[in-house]
Amino acid sequence: MDARLYQIFVDGDQLYRFTPENYNEEEYPFKKDFYFLINMAVGGNLGGAEIDESALPDKFYVDHIKVTELPADY
């Protein structure tokens, strides 16, 4: 497996997969410290659902975020 491969999973399902063409600090941001920005988007017409305004505002809890580095022999 390519050590540069970047993958995002939610509940065991892969949502995103990326391997950079140029693996350097200028073009590949994950070689430097970074943080996660987590939000809950509400609205829009992607799902076609109407938003019940009486249910807002509400709270959005993130139980945990796990970042792992696979062993070299994976």
Side-chain angles (χ1 to χ4, degrees), residues 37-41 58-63:
L37 177 62
I38 308 296
N39 75 331
M40 176 177 61
D58 205 352
K59 295 181 179 165
F60 175 63
Y61 296 100
V62 176
D63 183 47

Side-chain angles (χ1 to χ4, degrees), residues 16-52:
Y16 186 72
R17 178 184 180 105
F18 174 73
T19 303
E21 288 183 30
N22 300 309
Y23 190 63
N24 58 46
E25 288 188 19
E26 186 175 314
E27 297 179 53
Y28 188 68
F30 303 111
K31 289 186 66 101
K32 299 183 260 184
D33 290 342
F34 65 96
Y35 61 94
F36 292 98
L37 177 62
I38 308 296
N39 75 331
M40 176 177 61
V42 177
N45 60 3
L46 182 60
E50 300 253 340
I51 303 301
D52 180 2

